[in-house]
Amino acid sequence: MKAVYFVGAGGIGMSAIARYFIRQGLVVAGYDKTPSKLTEQLEKEGMLIHYEEDVEQIPMACRDPKECLVIYTPAIPAEHAELQFFRNSGFDIQKRAQVLGTLTKAHKGLCVAGTHGKTTTSTMCAHIMHQASLDCNAFLGGISKNYGTNYILSDDSDYVVIEADEFDRSFHWLRPWMTVITSSDPDHLDIYGTKEAYLESFRHYTTLIQPGGALIIHTGLEMKAEVPEGVRTYTYGLSDGDFHAENIKIEKGEITFDLVSPIENVTGITLGQPVPINIDNGIGAMAMAQLNGCTAEELRYGMKTYKGVDRRFDFALRNDKHVVLSDYAHHPKEIYQSAKSMREVYHDRHITAIFQPHLYTRTRDFYADFAEALSQLDEVILCDIYPARELPIPGVTSQLIYDRLAPNVEKSMIHKEDVLDLVKSRDFDVLIILGAGDLDNYVPQIAEIISGKE
């Protein structure tokens, strides 16, 4: 193999693998629908990317089936012209998850699965391991603020931290040495069809853990685990489970707690990113790191120096007058946790969310739950649904959420294109940009506008 071609190059998970192959010295090229900061950075690192669905733009180095591996994301439609070209020409075509699965067979895979929390938990675990004596490789679902990338490479470590994505059952390609499961609230029902099928996919995932390894599962999940013989099972949670927290203190913008562990209790842990939900995420990350040999001091240092992930409680402006942050939350449970954490930290301030729903199917399936979660905030401004890979569904709009917000919530609807004008005309106290769409692209300008009012 001399070249690798990515159909859907700019996705956060795809780009991590692209960086791996760039590092190996191969020709790396691909297609993506739209340019972004991520694709711009990949081009600077040596990747050849074009943004039109055009077979003629595939580089010559990627036209020999014997020398080029093709990797695609399930978000790309089957009728995509370039994907059809590769299929009709006898290329080896693999999903991103298949490539990650190969890596988990070659290394000790430390995987983090779950409807939500998996990006933060896996990035925390990777940071703890990387700064410790164990070190690790990592393929993450978000850009780590510690490293400015979603990919960590080690020349020596046999560990690889991987975010295990349940979309399209991708995580069934993995063979984890150990895995954390953060949550199993039904999602992606456009793929799974039913809640039962979604939960079954998580059960099957637990059967893939390698003997001698471990399952670390959050307490209270509806899914049923079925681990192979020789796999240890541990539970974790905020206040219960084999691994849990005690002596939690949230004051003056700082969060500290103690970790209760069946291996060794660790006192005096400080969160480098002081957001309440990160106590829970941190317990899962530390449990996996500790089970693989990280010391108490390495856990403390890793948690204290963890800076977060882009778009996960990502503060763009923070002072006594104004707070602006973005959060990738796009499932009702994520919105609920995000709003709850904001309330705990900014309990005496006016909190406004601008929310861009992600996917018509998800809005159709969970609009009442979205409204309930958002109703914890003082004000909600709803944008149009971000379609991603979907076509519109008749009758499914942001109005479904709007109509069900609690009576005490200030509410309005707006087109994404009008958001900056709204920000110029208002003086927000605490403003959070929510969702997995493209509204996040406006956050730097929003922060600049609000900062200019001080």
Side-chain angles (χ1 to χ4, degrees):
M1 188 175 67
K2 296 179 181 177
V4 185
Y5 192 88
F6 288 80
V7 188
I12 196 73
M14 293 282 274
S15 63
I17 301 175
R19 285 176 160 136
Y20 173 80
F21 286 117
I22 291 170
R23 182 80 174 255
Q24 304 305 310
L26 302 180
V27 174
V28 180
Y31 155 87
D32 203 79
K33 191 175 181 180
T34 53
S36 65
K37 287 183 180 178
L38 195 49
T39 57
E40 184 181 321
Q41 185 58 40
L42 287 169
E43 290 188 76
K44 287 180 182 176
E45 293 174 23
M47 188 172 183
L48 306 170
I49 307 177
H50 61 268
Y51 303 95
E52 295 175 13
E53 187 177 332
D54 183 4
V55 171
E56 295 302 315
Q57 294 194 51
I58 298 172
M60 289 305 298
C62 300
R63 289 176 175 266
D64 186 344
K66 297 177 182 177
E67 296 184 350
C68 181
L69 170 67
V70 177
I71 303 173
Y72 75 102
T73 169
I76 294 291
E79 63 272 15
H80 191 277
E82 295 184 21
L83 197 54
Q84 287 194 332
F85 165 77
F86 289 120
R87 282 186 171 137
N88 295 335
S89 304
F91 280 78
D92 179 14
I93 302 173
Q94 296 188 14
K95 289 183 181 180
R96 175 180 69 92
Q98 288 175 263
V99 180
L100 293 177
T102 301
L103 289 171
T104 60
K105 294 169 190 172
H107 301 280
K108 285 187 174 179
L110 307 181
C111 305
V112 181
T115 317
H116 29 261
K118 57 182 174 285
T119 299
T120 298
T121 304
S122 57
T123 307
M124 276 182 168
C125 184
H127 175 61
I128 294 168
M129 298 277 291
H130 185 60
Q131 57 77 40
S133 56
L134 295 172
D135 201 0
C136 69
N137 302 274
F139 293 90
L140 306 169
I143 301 296
S144 162
K145 287 185 167 294
N146 287 86
Y147 307 104
T149 180
N150 55 335
Y151 165 63
I152 296 171
L153 181 66
S154 167
D155 294 328
D156 305 312
S157 180
D158 194 35
Y159 293 101
V160 56
V161 178
I162 289 176
E163 179 173 329
D165 188 3
E166 79 278 10
F167 175 71
D168 198 33
R169 297 176 174 84
S170 291
F171 61 169
H172 290 173
W173 291 100
L174 304 177
R175 296 296 180 269
W177 167 246
M178 292 189 185
T179 186
V180 170
I181 299 182
T182 63
S183 47
S184 62
D185 303 297
D187 194 11
H188 303 301
L189 296 185
D190 55 322
I191 299 293
Y192 287 98
T194 65
K195 167 184 167 182
E196 290 72 24
Y198 186 81
L199 295 174
E200 163 58 22
S201 76
F202 275 88
R203 184 207 62 79
H204 179 70
Y205 172 69
T206 64
T207 70
L208 305 175
I209 303 169
Q210 296 184 30
L215 166 66
I216 307 147
I217 186 168
H218 201 288
T219 57
L221 301 194
E222 196 171 348
M223 63 160 287
K224 304 298 182 187
E226 187 181 332
V227 299
E229 188 175 346
V231 172
R232 294 160 286 161
T233 298
Y234 300 90
T235 58
Y236 82 99
L238 185 65
S239 56
D240 59 347
D242 299 317
F243 297 86
H244 65 269
E246 285 186 352
N247 303 320
I248 299 171
K249 294 178 182 176
I250 304 175
E251 54 188 14
K252 296 180 180 178
E254 186 172 273
I255 298 177
T256 60
F257 64 96
D258 299 334
L259 173 69
V260 176
S261 161
I263 299 166
E264 179 190 0
N265 292 348
V266 183
T267 59
I269 295 164
T270 301
L271 282 183
Q273 191 191 36
V275 179
I277 187 58
N278 278 351
I279 304 172
D280 208 48
N281 294 327
I283 293 166
M286 286 189 291
M288 189 146 66
Q290 194 180 47
L291 283 168
N292 284 286
C294 279
T295 66
E297 194 51 48
E298 287 171 339
L299 294 179
R300 284 193 201 95
Y301 181 78
M303 292 298 291
K304 188 171 185 177
T305 56
Y306 172 75
K307 295 178 182 178
V309 183
D310 280 359
R311 296 184 73 177
R312 270 71 172 185
F313 280 99
D314 191 355
F315 287 90
L317 177 66
R318 178 167 45 175
N319 57 41
D320 293 339
K321 292 183 179 179
H322 298 106
V323 175
V324 177
L325 73 154
S326 64
D327 192 11
Y328 193 73
H330 55 283
H331 183 279
K333 287 289 179 72
E334 294 170 348
I335 299 280
Y336 175 82
Q337 289 292 352
S338 184
K340 181 172 178 285
S341 288
M342 294 300 292
R343 273 277 169 241
E344 289 180 39
V345 177
Y346 300 108
H347 55 86
D348 57 346
R349 298 179 69 169
H350 189 278
I351 305 173
T352 302
I354 304 179
F355 176 48
Q356 182 187 39
H358 186 264
L359 298 180
Y360 294 103
T361 52
R362 187 180 283 126
T363 305
R364 176 199 65 197
D365 295 335
F366 301 117
Y367 61 84
D369 298 321
F370 276 123
E372 184 179 353
L374 288 164
S375 292
Q376 298 178 86
L377 303 173
D378 299 300
E379 181 181 6
V380 176
I381 301 167
L382 286 165
C383 290
D384 300 321
I385 296 169
Y386 183 76
R389 57 188 178 270
E390 295 183 338
L391 295 173
I393 298 174
V396 178
T397 70
S398 298
Q399 189 80 36
L400 290 171
I401 301 171
Y402 180 91
D403 290 343
R404 287 158 182 83
L405 290 167
N408 60 306
V409 177
E410 300 172 45
K411 61 182 183 179
S412 57
M413 294 179 67
I414 191 172
H415 296 301
K416 180 188 70 177
E417 295 76 17
D418 299 325
V419 165
L420 293 180
D421 286 337
L422 174 72
V423 173
K424 290 173 185 175
S425 68
R426 292 275 307 275
D427 188 21
F428 293 102
D429 182 6
V430 177
L431 178 62
I432 179 168
I433 309 301
L434 288 171
D438 59 356
L439 187 60
D440 178 76
N441 295 335
Y442 288 176
V443 171
Q445 293 166 273
I446 291 171
E448 188 177 340
I449 293 166
I450 293 177
S451 179
K453 297 179 180 181
E454 294 175 359

